[in-house]
Short mmCIF file of all heavy atoms in Angstrom, two decimals:
data_model
loop_
_atom_site.label_atom_id
_atom_site.label_comp_id
_atom_site.label_asym_id
_atom_site.label_seq_id
_atom_site.Cartn_x
_atom_site.Cartn_y
_atom_site.Cartn_z
N ALA A 82 112.02 134.04 23.96
CA ALA A 82 111.36 132.66 23.50
C ALA A 82 110.94 131.93 24.63
O ALA A 82 109.82 131.24 24.65
CB ALA A 82 112.45 132.00 22.69
N GLU A 83 111.71 131.90 25.73
CA GLU A 83 111.28 131.20 26.92
C GLU A 83 109.92 131.71 27.48
O GLU A 83 109.08 130.86 27.87
CB GLU A 83 112.37 131.33 27.97
CG GLU A 83 112.17 130.57 29.26
CD GLU A 83 113.45 130.66 30.17
OE1 GLU A 83 114.27 129.96 30.04
OE2 GLU A 83 113.23 131.55 31.15
N ILE A 84 109.76 132.99 27.61
CA ILE A 84 108.61 133.53 28.18
C ILE A 84 107.45 133.28 27.18
O ILE A 84 106.30 132.94 27.64
CB ILE A 84 108.77 135.14 28.26
CG1 ILE A 84 109.82 135.43 29.32
CG2 ILE A 84 107.46 135.80 28.68
CD1 ILE A 84 110.13 136.82 29.42
N GLU A 85 107.64 133.39 25.90
CA GLU A 85 106.51 133.22 24.94
C GLU A 85 106.07 131.72 25.07
O GLU A 85 104.90 131.40 24.79
CB GLU A 85 106.90 133.54 23.58
CG GLU A 85 106.97 135.07 23.41
CD GLU A 85 107.41 135.53 22.02
OE1 GLU A 85 108.05 134.70 21.30
OE2 GLU A 85 107.07 136.67 21.59
N LYS A 86 107.00 130.77 25.16
CA LYS A 86 106.73 129.44 25.31
C LYS A 86 105.84 129.21 26.53
O LYS A 86 104.76 128.51 26.50
CB LYS A 86 107.89 128.59 25.35
CG LYS A 86 107.63 127.07 25.48
CD LYS A 86 108.95 126.23 25.53
CE LYS A 86 108.79 124.80 25.52
NZ LYS A 86 110.02 124.09 25.64
N ALA A 87 106.19 129.86 27.62
CA ALA A 87 105.42 129.62 28.91
C ALA A 87 104.02 130.21 28.71
O ALA A 87 103.16 129.78 29.32
CB ALA A 87 106.22 130.21 29.96
N ILE A 88 104.05 131.39 28.07
CA ILE A 88 102.69 132.14 27.84
C ILE A 88 101.70 131.15 27.02
O ILE A 88 100.57 131.11 27.36
CB ILE A 88 102.88 133.47 27.18
CG1 ILE A 88 103.62 134.41 28.07
CG2 ILE A 88 101.66 134.02 26.71
CD1 ILE A 88 103.93 135.78 27.42
N GLU A 89 102.32 130.59 26.02
CA GLU A 89 101.57 129.71 25.12
C GLU A 89 100.96 128.59 26.01
O GLU A 89 99.77 128.28 25.89
CB GLU A 89 102.43 129.22 24.03
CG GLU A 89 101.59 128.37 23.07
CD GLU A 89 102.47 127.80 21.92
OE1 GLU A 89 103.69 128.29 21.81
OE2 GLU A 89 101.90 127.09 20.99
N ALA A 90 101.81 127.96 26.80
CA ALA A 90 101.35 126.77 27.58
C ALA A 90 100.36 127.26 28.63
O ALA A 90 99.43 126.60 28.91
CB ALA A 90 102.52 126.22 28.42
N TYR A 91 100.56 128.42 29.27
CA TYR A 91 99.67 128.96 30.21
C TYR A 91 98.26 129.25 29.58
O TYR A 91 97.22 129.02 30.19
CB TYR A 91 100.22 130.23 30.80
CG TYR A 91 99.33 130.80 32.01
CD1 TYR A 91 99.36 130.28 33.29
CD2 TYR A 91 98.44 131.85 31.76
CE1 TYR A 91 98.58 130.74 34.30
CE2 TYR A 91 97.70 132.41 32.78
CZ TYR A 91 97.75 131.88 33.99
OH TYR A 91 96.99 132.41 35.04
N SER A 92 98.29 129.88 28.42
CA SER A 92 97.09 130.22 27.60
C SER A 92 96.25 128.87 27.34
O SER A 92 95.02 128.97 27.41
CB SER A 92 97.40 130.93 26.39
OG SER A 92 97.99 132.29 26.71
N ALA A 93 96.97 127.86 26.85
CA ALA A 93 96.32 126.66 26.56
C ALA A 93 95.67 126.07 27.81
O ALA A 93 94.59 125.62 27.84
CB ALA A 93 97.21 125.64 25.92
N GLY A 94 96.42 126.08 28.99
CA GLY A 94 95.87 125.62 30.12
C GLY A 94 94.73 126.38 30.67
O GLY A 94 93.83 125.89 31.17
N THR A 95 94.82 127.69 30.46
CA THR A 95 93.64 128.59 30.80
C THR A 95 92.44 128.22 30.07
O THR A 95 91.32 128.26 30.69
CB THR A 95 94.06 130.11 30.59
OG1 THR A 95 95.15 130.45 31.43
CG2 THR A 95 92.83 130.98 30.91
N LYS A 96 92.49 128.02 28.72
CA LYS A 96 91.35 127.71 27.91
C LYS A 96 90.66 126.42 28.49
O LYS A 96 89.50 126.36 28.60
CB LYS A 96 91.73 127.44 26.48
CG LYS A 96 90.55 127.17 25.63
CD LYS A 96 91.01 127.09 24.18
CE LYS A 96 89.81 126.74 23.26
NZ LYS A 96 90.31 126.66 21.76
N LYS A 97 91.46 125.47 28.78
CA LYS A 97 90.98 124.14 29.29
C LYS A 97 90.42 124.30 30.65
O LYS A 97 89.18 123.87 31.01
CB LYS A 97 92.18 123.16 29.41
CG LYS A 97 91.82 121.86 30.14
CD LYS A 97 93.03 121.01 30.28
CE LYS A 97 92.76 119.70 31.05
NZ LYS A 97 93.96 118.92 31.23
N TYR A 98 91.05 125.20 31.54
CA TYR A 98 90.49 125.37 32.86
C TYR A 98 89.22 126.09 32.90
O TYR A 98 88.28 125.77 33.64
CB TYR A 98 91.56 126.22 33.61
CG TYR A 98 91.05 126.80 34.96
CD1 TYR A 98 91.10 125.90 36.15
CD2 TYR A 98 90.44 128.02 35.12
CE1 TYR A 98 90.60 126.41 37.36
CE2 TYR A 98 89.95 128.51 36.29
CZ TYR A 98 90.08 127.75 37.37
OH TYR A 98 89.49 128.14 38.50
N ILE A 99 88.98 127.15 32.00
CA ILE A 99 87.85 127.88 31.96
C ILE A 99 86.60 126.99 31.52
O ILE A 99 85.53 127.21 32.13
CB ILE A 99 87.96 129.14 31.00
CG1 ILE A 99 88.83 130.11 31.68
CG2 ILE A 99 86.58 129.73 30.66
CD1 ILE A 99 89.16 131.39 30.78
N GLU A 100 86.85 126.10 30.63
CA GLU A 100 85.80 125.21 30.18
C GLU A 100 85.30 124.29 31.34
O GLU A 100 84.15 124.07 31.51
CB GLU A 100 86.30 124.30 29.07
CG GLU A 100 86.63 125.04 27.73
CD GLU A 100 87.15 124.08 26.64
OE1 GLU A 100 87.46 122.97 26.86
OE2 GLU A 100 87.29 124.61 25.50
N ILE A 101 86.32 123.91 32.22
CA ILE A 101 85.92 123.17 33.38
C ILE A 101 85.25 123.99 34.54
O ILE A 101 84.22 123.65 35.05
CB ILE A 101 87.16 122.44 33.95
CG1 ILE A 101 87.82 121.48 32.89
CG2 ILE A 101 86.94 121.82 35.36
CD1 ILE A 101 89.09 120.85 33.34
N ALA A 102 85.94 125.08 34.76
CA ALA A 102 85.32 126.07 35.79
C ALA A 102 83.95 126.62 35.54
O ALA A 102 83.28 126.94 36.50
CB ALA A 102 86.37 127.12 36.12
N MET A 103 83.66 126.68 34.21
CA MET A 103 82.34 127.36 33.94
C MET A 103 81.10 126.33 34.26
O MET A 103 80.02 126.72 34.35
CB MET A 103 82.27 127.69 32.42
CG MET A 103 83.11 128.87 32.03
SD MET A 103 82.63 130.41 32.68
CE MET A 103 81.16 130.76 31.66
N ASN A 104 81.57 125.09 34.49
CA ASN A 104 80.60 124.04 34.84
C ASN A 104 80.56 123.84 36.30
O ASN A 104 81.61 123.37 36.91
CB ASN A 104 80.96 122.79 34.09
CG ASN A 104 79.90 121.57 34.41
OD1 ASN A 104 79.12 121.71 35.24
ND2 ASN A 104 80.01 120.56 33.67
N ALA A 105 79.55 124.27 37.02
CA ALA A 105 79.48 124.23 38.43
C ALA A 105 79.69 122.91 39.03
O ALA A 105 80.22 122.76 40.09
CB ALA A 105 78.15 124.86 38.92
N ALA A 106 79.24 121.91 38.23
CA ALA A 106 79.38 120.50 38.64
C ALA A 106 80.80 120.00 38.66
O ALA A 106 81.12 119.03 39.38
CB ALA A 106 78.55 119.62 37.80
N ARG A 107 81.68 120.73 38.10
CA ARG A 107 83.14 120.35 38.04
C ARG A 107 84.03 121.28 38.77
O ARG A 107 85.20 121.48 38.59
CB ARG A 107 83.66 120.28 36.60
CG ARG A 107 82.79 119.40 35.69
CD ARG A 107 83.28 119.41 34.24
NE ARG A 107 84.61 118.78 34.17
CZ ARG A 107 85.31 118.67 32.97
NH1 ARG A 107 84.81 119.27 31.82
NH2 ARG A 107 86.53 118.06 32.92
N ARG A 108 83.41 122.07 39.65
CA ARG A 108 84.17 123.02 40.60
C ARG A 108 85.36 122.45 41.31
O ARG A 108 86.44 123.01 41.35
CB ARG A 108 83.12 123.73 41.53
CG ARG A 108 83.79 124.80 42.37
CD ARG A 108 82.81 125.48 43.31
NE ARG A 108 82.03 126.50 42.54
CZ ARG A 108 80.63 126.36 42.50
NH1 ARG A 108 80.03 125.43 43.07
NH2 ARG A 108 80.09 127.29 41.75
N SER A 109 85.09 121.22 41.92
CA SER A 109 86.25 120.59 42.65
C SER A 109 87.37 120.37 41.73
O SER A 109 88.52 120.49 42.12
CB SER A 109 85.70 119.35 43.33
OG SER A 109 84.78 119.58 44.28
N GLU A 110 87.09 119.90 40.51
CA GLU A 110 88.22 119.69 39.65
C GLU A 110 88.92 121.02 39.27
O GLU A 110 90.19 120.92 39.19
CB GLU A 110 87.64 119.06 38.29
CG GLU A 110 88.74 118.73 37.18
CD GLU A 110 88.01 118.04 36.07
OE1 GLU A 110 86.82 117.92 35.97
OE2 GLU A 110 88.76 117.90 35.02
N ALA A 111 88.23 122.10 39.14
CA ALA A 111 88.92 123.37 38.86
C ALA A 111 89.72 123.73 40.05
O ALA A 111 90.81 124.27 39.92
CB ALA A 111 87.83 124.37 38.61
N TYR A 112 89.12 123.55 41.35
CA TYR A 112 89.92 123.80 42.47
C TYR A 112 91.25 123.12 42.44
O TYR A 112 92.35 123.65 42.89
CB TYR A 112 89.20 123.41 43.83
CG TYR A 112 87.97 124.26 44.14
CD1 TYR A 112 87.04 123.87 44.95
CD2 TYR A 112 87.81 125.51 43.57
CE1 TYR A 112 85.93 124.64 45.35
CE2 TYR A 112 86.80 126.32 43.82
CZ TYR A 112 85.82 125.85 44.65
OH TYR A 112 84.74 126.61 44.99
N ARG A 113 91.30 121.82 42.08
CA ARG A 113 92.51 121.10 42.13
C ARG A 113 93.48 121.57 41.17
O ARG A 113 94.73 121.54 41.41
CB ARG A 113 92.19 119.62 41.82
CG ARG A 113 91.45 118.85 43.06
CD ARG A 113 91.49 117.43 42.80
NE ARG A 113 90.70 116.88 41.60
CZ ARG A 113 89.44 116.79 41.67
NH1 ARG A 113 88.75 116.79 42.74
NH2 ARG A 113 88.75 116.32 40.50
N MET A 114 93.09 122.12 40.01
CA MET A 114 93.92 122.64 38.97
C MET A 114 94.63 123.97 39.47
O MET A 114 95.72 124.20 39.06
CB MET A 114 93.14 122.89 37.64
CG MET A 114 92.67 121.69 36.92
SD MET A 114 91.72 122.14 35.53
CE MET A 114 93.09 122.70 34.40
#
Side-chain angles (χ1 to χ4, degrees):
E83 181 179 278
I84 295 173
E85 290 182 331
K86 181 179 179 180
I88 289 174
E89 182 178 357
Y91 185 79
S92 297
T95 296
K96 182 178 179 181
K97 173 185 174 182
Y98 169 84
I99 288 178
E100 291 178 355
I101 294 172
M103 291 294 283
N104 185 344
R107 303 179 70 184
R108 181 177 283 122
S109 294
E110 183 179 353
Y112 288 163
R113 289 193 295 272
M114 292 180 69

